[in-house]
Amino acid sequence: MDILGSGHEQVVFCSDRESGLRAVIAIHSTALGPALGGTRFYPYASEDDAVADALRLSRAMSYKNSLAGLDLGGGKAVIIGNPRTDKSEALLRAYGRFVEALGGRYLTACDVGTFNADLDVVARETRFAHGRSLAYGGCGDSSVLTAYGVFQGMRAAAEHCWGAPSLAGRTVAVAGVGKVGSELVDLLVADGAELVVTDVDPAAVERVTARHPAVRVVADTAALIGTPHDVYAPCALGGALDAATVATLPARIVCGGANNQLAAPRIADDLVARGILYAPDYLVNAGGVIQVEDERHGFSFERARARAAGIFDVAARVFRTADADGVSPAVAADRLAEERIGSVGRLATIRLPR
């Protein structure tokens, strides 16, 4: 693995023998400001897998923060282990000391396997932990605005495809109804959509169907993809869109909360070839980072929500640009993000409304 050739500014390996901490912090860019990105706690099969994920996710955060109009760079941390069995106060505090040692170059928050209460513990050792509990002056659960941003991106995609910014009467297939997916289901039901869902965790499915008995449930992702639907919303882990999936996907739109949905860059072109509109994941799931960033200024949910609503306009611009330039929405979004990253010191042209 060519870490030095990856384009990242800094990659830090963290090890604490007493607590068992094994972590990687990857800082992709600080061109626009300190690198903000969550901490993923996951049982990686190998150290190489953990490093690869940190590099991939931190790069995506640079693009996400840029396209969201935030004065932040991109970073990500991964802790190697099972969060259900390996997480402890000692481990989280040890991790916090590594974050603090970076002096503010990296700002951490929640991700898969970490929660607000965990960041409260991390914050006992560092000034640079965000996404804390409301009781500790934080922004609370960022999945709320993550889902809201995905919903706004989906509305923009619906308008682009069908002429109206609504999912009423459309069938949306949601793969993963955890923190973000379940919030998205709530918004879609309120908008009049029909839902079909799946999740590897039966308890997550039960929580959704308890609130919305009309939601249909299928056994797994393969069954979900085989069910007729208008919009496919991947809301679990990355790599959901591979060649085999795209070849049979019945959806007209793909728009979900998961990070790194494309198994390979060429999948974006496969989607275009099949007439499927792809809403780039790092664009539409930026509501959470907008929520976390607002915490730095004295959190206001209303202010953060108003800013996250601007994802609709940015998504619409990406779709129009893709059509005009004859490229995929993934390429159009990358170009807009890179344009801002490269325009340090000049007025950003894609800033979401404050």
Side-chain angles (χ1 to χ4, degrees), residues 8 14 16 29 34 49 83 105 107 145 172 208 268 291 314 341 343:
H8 286 67
C14 312
D16 181 73
S29 172
D49 288 348
R105 282 177 52 78
L107 312 177
L145 288 190
V172 182
V208 166
Q291 181 171 337
V314 180
I341 292 171
S343 66

Side-chain angles (χ1 to χ4, degrees), residues 152-169:
Q152 294 302 325
M154 199 179 291
R155 290 180 63 244
E159 182 175 64
H160 192 81
C161 289
W162 301 310
S166 172
L167 283 304

Side-chain angles (χ1 to χ4, degrees), residues 49-259:
D49 288 348
V51 173
D53 208 25
L55 295 178
R56 182 170 54 247
L57 291 167
S58 57
R59 180 182 183 277
M61 287 305 303
S62 289
Y63 282 64
K64 179 185 295 190
N65 292 337
S66 172
L67 205 57
L70 302 175
D71 294 327
L72 294 167
K76 205 79 173 186
V78 299
I79 297 175
I80 303 170
N82 185 332
R84 297 188 178 185
T85 57
D86 298 331
K87 189 186 297 180
S88 67
E89 177 184 347
L91 182 147
L92 293 172
R93 292 185 68 161
Y95 170 65
R97 290 192 290 273
F98 281 105
V99 173
E100 179 66 21
L102 290 170
R105 282 177 52 78
Y106 171 61
L107 312 177
T108 195
C110 299
D111 196 78
V112 174
T114 58
F115 302 88
N116 300 129
D118 299 326
L119 271 294
D120 293 338
V121 176
V122 174
R124 293 165 69 179
E125 299 288 349
T126 180
R127 299 160 288 171
F128 308 116
H130 300 283
R132 302 186 306 277
S133 301
L134 292 170
Y136 286 87
C139 68
D141 185 2
S142 63
S143 63
V144 175
L145 288 190
T146 300
Y148 181 69
V150 173
F151 178 61
Q152 294 302 325
M154 199 179 291
R155 290 180 63 244
E159 182 175 64
H160 192 81
C161 289
W162 301 310
S166 172
L167 283 304
R170 305 290 179 181
T171 298
V172 182
V174 181
V177 286
K179 292 189 291 185
V180 173
S182 62
E183 293 281 350
L184 180 61
V185 167
D186 292 346
L187 293 166
L188 289 166
V189 168
D191 195 43
E194 297 183 5
L195 276 296
V196 55
V197 307
T198 192
D199 197 291
V200 296
D201 182 2
V205 173
E206 289 172 8
R207 287 191 290 270
V208 166
T209 54
R211 294 198 305 275
H212 307 293
V215 169
R216 289 182 289 152
V217 179
V218 296
D220 52 30
T221 302
L224 187 70
I225 292 168
T227 301
H229 57 271
D230 302 296
V231 181
Y232 181 52
C235 292
L237 294 177
L241 300 171
D242 56 21
T245 298
V246 171
T248 60
L249 197 64
R252 175 69 179 86
I253 293 169
V254 172
C255 180
N259 288 312

Side-chain angles (χ1 to χ4, degrees), residues 56 59 239 241-243 246 260-272 278 328-331 334:
R56 182 170 54 247
R59 180 182 183 277
L241 300 171
D242 56 21
V246 171
N260 298 321
Q261 292 170 22
L262 303 180
R266 63 178 175 80
I267 299 299
D269 294 325
D270 294 345
L271 288 163
V272 172
Y278 170 59
S328 70
V331 170
D334 282 357

